[in-house]
Amino acid sequence: MAIPVVNLADFLSGDPQLKQQFVQQLGKAYEEVGFVAVKNHGIPDDLIAEMYKQVQQFFSLPIDRKKQYEIPELAGQRGYTSFGREHAKGSDAPDLKEFYQHGQTVPDDDPVKAEYPDNVLIDEVPGFSETFNKAYRAFEKSGKALLQAIALYLGLDEHYFDDHIHNGNSILRAIHYPPILNEPKSAIRAEQHEDINLITLLVGASADGLQILTKQNEWVGVTSLPEQIVVNVGDMLQRLTNNRLRSTTHRVVNPPREFWHTSRFSIPFFLHPKSKMSLACLEGCIGEDHPKAYPDATAGEYLDERLREIGLKK
């Protein structure tokens, strides 16, 4: 399926007409599909290539070395999470993946710094943390611009999200789906799910497999061109907009048998606000035809609930 393509350079061009056109394209795509491909996204190609190279080096380490970076009390929010630990909400079957998570580093004296654990530094891969810090900032910058466009589409001030996401609780996750060695119990590497956060920015994947569930209830494969990133709506934004912008159900399926011997790597950036942000449905998204669908909650409360549901937090 060719998902809608938008050009972030239009939004940042300084041309009011191009900017407004981008806002409408993005908003319409998020109401109808929930996923877009973004070109001119601002994340440098050489940085993406370096990140993938280092991620593959890390996941190729022996399991006992990787487990040194697994810290159970961090509930998977920093460092390494071993194979089979996470499952989709409502599913008992563990996803066929292992992953590493890198979080916010607060550069100023914002008191929110006390909420975030330190990142887990990978000794064996030179430059790993520096690359992830650079990528994190690039994703934040692109995500901020996309949220400004979403704010305008919703009739809010362009900078509505800015303070909420400054030093926000975003996560950069590197995922490894290892080769399939035995007949799998399921054809799914990652069960169907919706993302928890505001928006997710996904840069490339080393193999096909991502599918989204259409409004016609059909699973279709999603691919983007090398110079594009895929950006989808998460549950926090769906909740905030009272279902006006929909969080699209997606999954990762196993490859054809002839590719079972291959790994799949994927690097999503889950853009979260600070935990104190209210996710109470926006007044402008509530009406007679759209009664309020969710109780009030903060982003932190909602995240905590979801981490328990997917097995990362007890």
Side-chain angles (χ1 to χ4, degrees):
M1 175 184 181
I3 59 175
V5 179
V6 295
N7 183 356
L8 188 55
D10 288 348
F11 183 73
L12 301 172
S13 65
D15 180 323
Q17 192 174 344
L18 282 178
K19 183 174 182 176
Q20 182 56 25
Q21 185 179 300
F22 177 89
V23 166
Q24 292 305 313
Q25 286 173 338
L26 185 69
K28 187 166 179 280
Y30 280 157
E31 284 193 7
E32 295 175 359
V33 184
F35 269 75
V36 294
V38 180
K39 61 184 183 180
N40 292 314
H41 46 75
I43 300 149
D45 289 344
D46 57 347
L47 181 57
I48 295 169
E50 185 63 21
M51 195 165 43
Y52 267 99
K53 187 178 98 180
Q54 292 179 347
V55 160
Q56 290 176 27
Q57 288 175 340
F58 171 69
F59 285 119
S60 67
L61 293 172
I63 185 62
D64 58 333
R65 300 285 283 283
K66 286 184 285 192
K67 275 186 170 288
Q68 291 179 73
Y69 301 110
E70 186 163 29
I71 303 167
E73 58 268 27
L74 295 182
Q77 295 307 287
R78 299 290 187 277
Y80 175 68
T81 297
S82 49
F83 185 83
R85 275 281 317 281
E86 185 179 78
H87 59 81
K89 177 183 174 181
S91 170
D92 294 329
D95 287 344
L96 308 180
K97 68 188 182 195
E98 55 181 347
F99 56 90
Y100 166 86
Q101 295 210 151
H102 189 89
Q104 183 67 265
T105 51
V106 177
D108 53 30
D109 56 3
D110 190 330
V112 77
K113 187 172 189 172
E115 293 181 25
Y116 302 142
D118 291 337
N119 282 308
V120 176
L121 306 179
I122 307 299
D123 298 327
E124 285 91 342
V125 183
F128 189 94
S129 294
E130 291 85 346
T131 299
F132 266 68
N133 282 333
K134 272 189 207 164
Y136 192 102
R137 292 291 174 239
F139 277 114
E140 269 192 326
K141 190 175 177 185
S142 297
K144 180 179 179 180
L146 290 164
L147 283 172
Q148 287 172 348
I150 289 167
L152 289 171
Y153 186 74
L154 295 170
L156 303 169
D157 181 270
E158 181 174 344
H159 302 288
Y160 177 86
F161 291 100
D162 290 9
D163 285 344
H164 294 305
I165 63 171
H166 173 68
N167 291 334
N169 193 20
S170 298
I171 291 289
L172 183 54
R173 173 186 277 196
I175 307 172
H176 175 221
Y177 301 92
I180 299 166
L181 303 176
N182 304 301
E183 190 74 36
K185 291 178 184 171
S186 163
I188 310 294
R189 274 177 156 168
E191 269 291 356
Q192 66 180 64
H193 64 283
E194 297 80 40
D195 293 340
I196 300 170
N197 39 287
L198 290 169
I199 55 173
T200 301
L201 294 80
L202 175 67
V203 55
S206 63
D208 292 341
L210 178 64
Q211 295 184 336
I212 66 172
L213 188 62
T214 66
K215 288 193 173 177
Q216 292 70 43
N217 221 31
E218 295 172 344
W219 286 106
V220 296
V222 170
T223 53
S224 62
L225 296 173
E227 69 274 11
Q228 298 172 352
I229 61 171
V230 173
V231 184
N232 63 277
V233 172
D235 283 351
M236 287 184 182
L237 190 56
Q238 172 175 274
R239 195 178 177 112
L240 185 72
T241 63
N242 198 34
N243 295 329
R244 182 175 172 188
L245 303 185
R246 299 306 296 246
S247 176
T248 303
T249 303
H250 54 287
R251 66 183 185 182
V252 177
V253 295
N254 296 341
R257 186 178 285 265
E258 62 268 27
F259 295 112
W260 278 8
H261 65 285
T262 60
S263 283
R264 182 181 192 270
F265 297 93
S266 175
I267 305 178
F269 180 78
F270 300 119
L271 199 156
H272 284 261
K274 288 188 276 238
S275 61
K276 67 183 181 185
M277 179 184 178
S278 170
L279 298 180
C281 300
L282 294 165
E283 287 297 323
C285 296
I286 300 170
E288 281 185 29
D289 295 341
H290 298 284
K292 188 175 176 180
Y294 303 100
D296 294 354
T298 65
E301 289 165 346
Y302 184 60
L303 175 62
D304 194 64
E305 173 192 321
R306 290 292 299 275
L307 290 177
R308 293 177 198 282
E309 288 174 342
I310 63 175
L312 288 179
K313 207 167 188 177
K314 302 298 180 209

